[in-house]
Structure formats: structure tokens, C-alpha cells
Amino acid sequence: MTRGILIAGNESTLSQAIEAEAAKRVEHFAIALIPNRLSDPVRTSPFAGAADDPSGAASPAKTSVDTARLPLQWNPGSPISARALVLASESRLEHTDEAILICAPPSIRRAAAELSMTDIEILVNDHVKAWFSLVRELAALFRARRSGILALVYSELGPGGGKDDAADILGPSALASFRAFTRSLLASASGEPYLTLGFSGSDAGDEAGFASFIFRILDEGNRRNNGRLHKYGKLGIFR
């Protein structure tokens, strides 16, 4: 029986690398992307840049991923949509065995007085509230089935930007929320019948290596990894 893999998060070089690793393992995987609903173009996080070939040519790996991906609709700010997403994943994949949630929030570089109330609401709904709703639905599914893997992925990198750029106020706040949420879920993992694993990366530019590292641990399915934060970075791979 093939693995049912659901990937959720905003489109980024990291999510694309994770999709490529998934395509190596299963014929189809489900993907739910957070739409970009912010009012103005923004600078992305270190792991959120585009990874497309500037020539426009489709590589064999990209073609393989495009064939394998099953896009699902998701309104991140809606708890009802989170439930519909999990049901859709179950329907398209027949069973959802692994859910990989990737937090790489966009960066909004404006002074506090210049922040748009619309952008504040969108960022909180799509990059903070969304994870609580989706994890709730996935946890209920995995608990009822008494199996499954919940993987939470984020970057440890700073917000970046040049010395003359305004500070990014919202992006790091959303990331800090996800990081704290991940650590709380890991702390409570021992009481659940499914596995909860955390992954953090600190090496921008090596998203492929980070994605390979993530899947190597997921492939093991080792219960000893339950509740652990697995780190990947320049100082070496350590767990």
C-alpha cells in the first residue's frame, strides 16, 4: 500500500524541494498552498524564494513533480476549510499517512505605523491561525486511526534584508508562533498514538539537502524519533 503524503504551506524553494522528494517515493501526493493575498509585493523569507528555471524550461525532475502533485483548495483562515482539506486529502489519496506542514511566512518590511490592517489580518489568519486549525483536524484523524506522522518544518534563519531596509515585523512573529506551537506539540507527543516530528533548517540555499534529510527520517518511521526536533544546518546534520 502506497503512502499518502499531504504537504501544506506557502510556495517556496523549500516546499518545492519537499515536493521533489515526495515525488521520488509515491506516485501521487496532495499539496495545499497558502495563497498570496497580501496587498503589496513583499520580500520573501530566506526559504521562500522562487526556484523555477529562469530559462522557462521544465526539467525532468519538475515534470515528475507536476505529474505527481494533486493540488487541493485551502482557505487557511477558515477552520471549516481545514476540515474540508483533510477530507479532500483522504478522498484523493485514499488515506493520509503523513502530513508535512511548512512554515515560511512572507516578509513585510514597513514601519509599524505604516502596516496595513488588511495585511495584519491576512498574515495572522493564513500564517498563524491556519496551523492551529489544520493540526487539530490532522490530529483528530491520526488519533482515530491510531497511526500517522505529523511533521512540522520551519527555518531558524533570521529575517535577512539590507541595512537600509525597514524591519520585518510580521514575518518573524508568525514564524515564532509556529516554532512555539511545534515545541508544544512535540512536548505532548508521547501521549498520542501517532508520531509528531519537528524539523528546523539553518542553511539557506541547501533546501534540497534539508528536504532529503526530512524524508530520510520520515522513511524510518522510528517511534524513537517521536517528539524530537531534528535540526539541519551548516554545522553539520544533527538530531
Side-chain angles (χ1 to χ4, degrees):
M1 181 173 66
T2 187
R3 294 156 65 178
I5 300 175
L6 169 65
I7 300 169
N10 53 307
E11 189 167 10
S12 64
T13 52
L14 179 56
S15 69
Q16 290 167 6
I18 288 174
E19 286 189 61
E21 287 294 327
K24 296 176 184 178
R25 292 163 169 79
V26 294
E27 184 176 357
H28 294 292
F29 61 87
I31 176 78
L33 293 175
I34 298 174
N36 183 6
R37 302 190 296 123
L38 296 169
S39 60
D40 297 319
V42 294
R43 186 168 301 176
T44 57
S45 73
F47 276 156
D52 294 333
D53 185 339
S55 69
S59 67
K62 180 170 173 47
T63 301
S64 174
V65 170
D66 289 344
T67 301
R69 71 198 319 260
L70 299 173
L72 301 179
Q73 295 297 313
W74 182 27
N75 175 6
S78 167
I80 295 175
S81 183
R83 179 167 298 180
L85 171 59
V86 173
L87 292 175
S89 176
E90 285 283 277
S91 175
R92 297 294 299 277
L93 297 174
E94 296 186 0
H95 46 84
T96 306
D97 304 299
E98 302 169 22
I100 305 173
L101 312 187
I102 309 161
C103 182
S107 172
I108 301 177
R109 297 188 177 282
R110 299 192 188 98
E114 298 169 357
L115 290 173
S116 159
M117 290 303 299
T118 299
D119 284 345
I120 292 172
E121 184 173 4
I122 287 172
L123 201 80
V124 170
N125 282 336
D126 291 1
H127 297 278
V128 178
K129 177 183 174 182
W131 299 122
F132 290 90
S133 299
L134 184 54
V135 165
R136 177 185 182 279
E137 297 300 329
L138 290 166
L141 173 68
F142 292 157
R143 179 182 282 183
R145 187 172 291 160
R146 301 195 65 77
S147 67
I149 298 178
L150 177 63
L152 302 109
V153 181
Y154 62 88
S155 166
E156 291 282 9
L157 296 175
K163 64 178 183 178
D164 296 326
D165 291 337
D168 177 13
I169 297 176
L170 298 183
S173 298
L175 182 59
S177 172
F178 186 86
R179 185 186 294 116
F181 187 36
T182 295
R183 292 184 180 276
S184 295
L185 290 169
L186 296 176
S188 61
S190 62
E192 299 291 351
Y194 57 88
L195 303 183
T196 303
L197 288 72
F199 297 92
S200 68
S202 59
D203 195 358
D206 189 21
E207 289 79 12
F210 187 20
S212 177
F213 170 72
I214 291 168
F215 269 94
R216 179 171 63 82
I217 294 174
L218 294 181
D219 291 345
E220 292 175 1
N222 192 332
R223 286 207 64 87
R224 287 182 298 179
N225 289 324
N226 188 36
R228 297 180 64 181
L229 179 63
H230 306 271
K231 298 184 178 182
Y232 181 88
K234 290 181 179 178
L235 297 180
I237 301 172
F238 52 101
R239 296 159 62 175

